Coordinates of all heavy atoms in Angstrom, one line a residue:
A116 N 152.9 98.7 337.0 CA 154.3 99.1 336.9 C 155.1 98.4 337.9 O 154.7 98.4 339.1 CB 154.4 100.6 337.0
V117 N 156.2 97.8 337.6 CA 157.0 97.0 338.5 C 158.4 97.6 338.4 O 159.0 97.7 337.3 CB 157.0 95.5 338.2 CG1 157.9 94.8 339.1 CG2 155.6 95.0 338.2
E118 N 159.0 97.8 339.6 CA 160.4 98.2 339.7 C 161.1 97.2 340.6 O 160.7 96.9 341.7 CB 160.6 99.6 340.2 CG 162.1 100.0 340.2 CD 162.3 101.5 340.5 OE1 161.4 102.3 340.2 OE2 163.4 101.8 340.9
V119 N 162.2 96.6 340.0 CA 163.0 95.6 340.7 C 164.4 96.1 340.9 O 165.0 96.6 340.0 CB 163.0 94.3 339.9 CG1 163.9 93.2 340.5 CG2 161.6 93.7 339.7
T120 N 164.9 96.0 342.1 CA 166.3 96.2 342.4 C 166.9 94.9 342.9 O 166.4 94.3 343.9 CB 166.5 97.3 343.4 OG1 165.8 98.5 343.0 CG2 168.0 97.6 343.6
L121 N 167.9 94.4 342.1 CA 168.6 93.2 342.5 C 169.9 93.4 343.2 O 170.7 94.2 342.8 CB 168.9 92.4 341.2 CG 167.7 91.9 340.4 CD1 168.1 91.4 339.0 CD2 166.9 90.8 341.1
F122 N 170.0 92.8 344.4 CA 171.2 92.9 345.2 C 171.9 91.6 345.1 O 171.5 90.7 345.9 CB 170.8 93.3 346.6 CG 170.1 94.6 346.7 CD1 168.7 94.7 346.8 CD2 170.8 95.8 346.7 CE1 168.0 95.9 346.9 CE2 170.1 97.0 346.8 CZ 168.7 97.1 346.9
P123 N 172.9 91.4 344.2 CA 173.5 90.1 344.0 C 174.3 89.6 345.3 O 174.8 90.5 346.0 CB 174.4 90.3 342.8 CG 174.5 91.7 342.6 CD 173.4 92.4 343.3
P124 N 174.4 88.3 345.4 CA 175.1 87.8 346.6 C 176.6 87.8 346.5 O 177.4 87.7 347.4 CB 174.7 86.3 346.6 CG 174.3 86.0 345.2 CD 173.8 87.3 344.6
D125 N 177.1 88.1 345.2 CA 178.6 88.2 345.0 C 178.9 89.0 343.8 O 177.9 89.4 343.1 CB 179.2 86.8 345.0 CG 178.6 85.9 344.0 OD1 178.4 86.3 342.8 OD2 178.3 84.7 344.3
R126 N 180.1 89.1 343.4 CA 180.5 89.9 342.2 C 180.6 89.2 340.9 O 181.0 89.7 339.9 CB 181.8 90.6 342.5 CG 181.8 91.5 343.7 CD 182.9 92.6 343.7 NE 182.8 93.5 344.8 CZ 182.0 94.5 344.9 NH1 181.1 94.7 344.0 NH2 182.0 95.2 346.0
R127 N 180.1 87.9 340.9 CA 180.1 87.2 339.6 C 179.2 87.9 338.6 O 178.3 88.6 338.9 CB 179.5 85.8 339.8 CG 180.5 84.8 340.4 CD 180.0 83.4 340.5 NE 178.9 83.4 341.5 CZ 178.0 82.4 341.6 NH1 178.1 81.4 340.8 NH2 177.1 82.4 342.5
R128 N 179.6 87.7 337.3 CA 178.8 88.4 336.2 C 177.4 87.7 336.2 O 177.3 86.5 336.2 CB 179.5 88.2 334.9 CG 180.8 89.0 334.8 CD 181.4 88.8 333.5 NE 180.5 89.1 332.4 CZ 180.9 89.1 331.1 NH1 182.1 88.9 330.8 NH2 180.0 89.4 330.2
R129 N 176.4 88.5 336.1 CA 175.0 88.0 336.0 C 174.3 88.9 335.1 O 174.4 90.2 335.1 CB 174.3 88.1 337.4 CG 174.8 87.1 338.4 CD 174.0 87.2 339.7 NE 174.2 86.1 340.5 CZ 175.2 85.9 341.3 NH1 176.2 86.8 341.4 NH2 175.3 84.8 342.1
D130 N 173.4 88.4 334.3 CA 172.5 89.1 333.5 C 171.2 89.4 334.3 O 170.6 88.4 334.7 CB 172.1 88.4 332.2 CG 173.2 88.1 331.2 OD1 174.2 88.8 331.4 OD2 173.1 87.2 330.4
V131 N 170.9 90.7 334.5 CA 169.7 91.0 335.4 C 168.4 90.4 334.8 O 167.5 90.0 335.6 CB 169.6 92.5 335.6 CG1 170.7 93.0 336.5 CG2 169.4 93.3 334.4
D132 N 168.3 90.3 333.5 CA 167.1 89.8 332.9 C 166.9 88.3 333.2 O 165.8 87.8 333.3 CB 167.0 90.0 331.4 CG 168.1 89.4 330.6 OD1 169.3 89.4 331.1 OD2 167.8 88.9 329.5
N133 N 167.9 87.5 333.5 CA 167.8 86.1 333.8 C 167.2 85.9 335.2 O 166.7 84.8 335.5 CB 169.2 85.4 333.8 CG 169.6 85.1 332.4 OD1 168.8 85.1 331.5 ND2 170.9 84.8 332.3
A134 N 167.1 86.9 336.1 CA 166.5 86.8 337.4 C 165.0 87.1 337.4 O 164.3 86.7 338.3 CB 167.2 87.7 338.4
L135 N 164.6 87.7 336.3 CA 163.2 88.2 336.3 C 162.1 87.2 336.2 O 161.1 87.2 336.9 CB 163.0 89.2 335.2 CG 163.7 90.6 335.4 CD1 163.5 91.4 334.1 CD2 163.2 91.2 336.6
K136 N 162.3 86.2 335.4 CA 161.2 85.2 335.1 C 160.9 84.5 336.4 O 159.7 84.4 336.8 CB 161.6 84.2 334.0 CG 160.5 83.3 333.7 CD 159.4 84.0 333.1 CE 158.3 83.0 332.7 NZ 157.0 83.7 332.5
A137 N 161.8 84.0 337.1 CA 161.6 83.3 338.4 C 160.9 84.2 339.4 O 159.9 83.8 340.1 CB 162.9 82.7 339.0
M138 N 161.4 85.4 339.5 CA 160.8 86.4 340.5 C 159.4 86.7 340.1 O 158.4 86.7 341.0 CB 161.6 87.6 340.6 CG 161.1 88.5 341.7 SD 161.9 90.1 341.9 CE 163.5 89.8 341.3
L139 N 159.1 87.2 338.9 CA 157.8 87.6 338.5 C 156.8 86.4 338.5 O 155.6 86.6 338.9 CB 157.8 88.2 337.1 CG 158.6 89.5 337.0 CD1 158.7 90.1 335.6 CD2 158.1 90.6 338.0
D140 N 157.2 85.3 338.1 CA 156.4 84.1 338.2 C 156.0 83.8 339.7 O 154.8 83.6 340.0 CB 157.1 82.9 337.7 CG 156.5 82.3 336.4 OD1 155.8 83.0 335.7 OD2 156.9 81.1 336.2
S141 N 157.0 83.8 340.6 CA 156.8 83.5 342.0 C 155.9 84.6 342.7 O 155.1 84.2 343.5 CB 158.1 83.4 342.7 OG 158.9 82.3 342.1
V142 N 156.1 85.8 342.3 CA 155.3 86.9 342.9 C 153.8 86.7 342.5 O 152.9 86.9 343.3 CB 155.9 88.3 342.6 CG1 154.9 89.4 342.9 CG2 157.2 88.5 343.3
G143 N 153.6 86.4 341.2 CA 152.3 86.1 340.8 C 151.6 84.9 341.4 O 150.5 85.0 341.9
K144 N 152.4 83.8 341.5 CA 151.9 82.6 342.2 C 151.6 82.9 343.7 O 150.8 82.3 344.3 CB 152.8 81.5 342.1 CG 153.0 81.0 340.7 CD 151.9 80.2 340.2 CE 152.2 79.6 338.8 NZ 151.1 79.3 338.0
G145 N 152.4 83.9 344.2 CA 152.2 84.2 345.7 C 151.0 85.1 345.9 O 150.7 85.4 347.1
G146 N 150.4 85.6 344.9 CA 149.1 86.3 345.0 C 149.2 87.8 344.9 O 148.3 88.6 345.2
A147 N 150.4 88.4 344.4 CA 150.5 89.8 344.3 C 149.7 90.4 343.2 O 149.2 91.5 343.2 CB 152.0 90.2 344.2
Y148 N 149.5 89.6 342.1 CA 148.7 90.0 341.0 C 148.2 88.7 340.3 O 148.6 87.6 340.7 CB 149.5 90.8 340.0 CG 150.9 90.4 339.7 CD1 151.2 89.3 338.9 CD2 152.0 91.1 340.2 CE1 152.5 88.9 338.6 CE2 153.3 90.7 339.9 CZ 153.5 89.6 339.1 OH 154.8 89.2 338.9
L149 N 147.3 88.9 339.4 CA 146.6 87.7 338.8 C 147.5 87.0 337.8 O 147.6 85.8 337.7 CB 145.3 88.1 338.1 CG 144.3 88.8 339.1 CD1 143.1 89.3 338.3 CD2 143.9 87.9 340.2
D150 N 148.2 87.8 337.0 CA 149.1 87.2 336.0 C 150.1 88.3 335.6 O 149.8 89.5 335.5 CB 148.2 86.9 334.7 CG 149.0 86.1 333.7 OD1 149.2 84.9 333.9 OD2 149.5 86.8 332.8

């Protein structure tokens, strides 16, 4: 189970789902989980 809280750098419109792929990929490559 993963809970993510995104703290954006500014007030521009952003889709939160667009940030997930890079983060989850990187956390996996960083060794937090296998896949």
Side-chain angles (χ1 to χ4, degrees):
V117 176
E118 183 167 338
V119 175
T120 305
L121 296 169
F122 300 96
D125 55 45
R126 297 200 180 282
R127 283 185 290 167
R128 289 179 57 173
R129 289 180 166 81
D130 295 342
V131 294
D132 61 321
N133 279 346
L135 290 178
K136 185 62 178 164
M138 184 184 335
L139 296 177
D140 246 20
S141 298
V142 168
K144 298 282 185 204
Y148 43 76
L149 302 174
D150 188 82

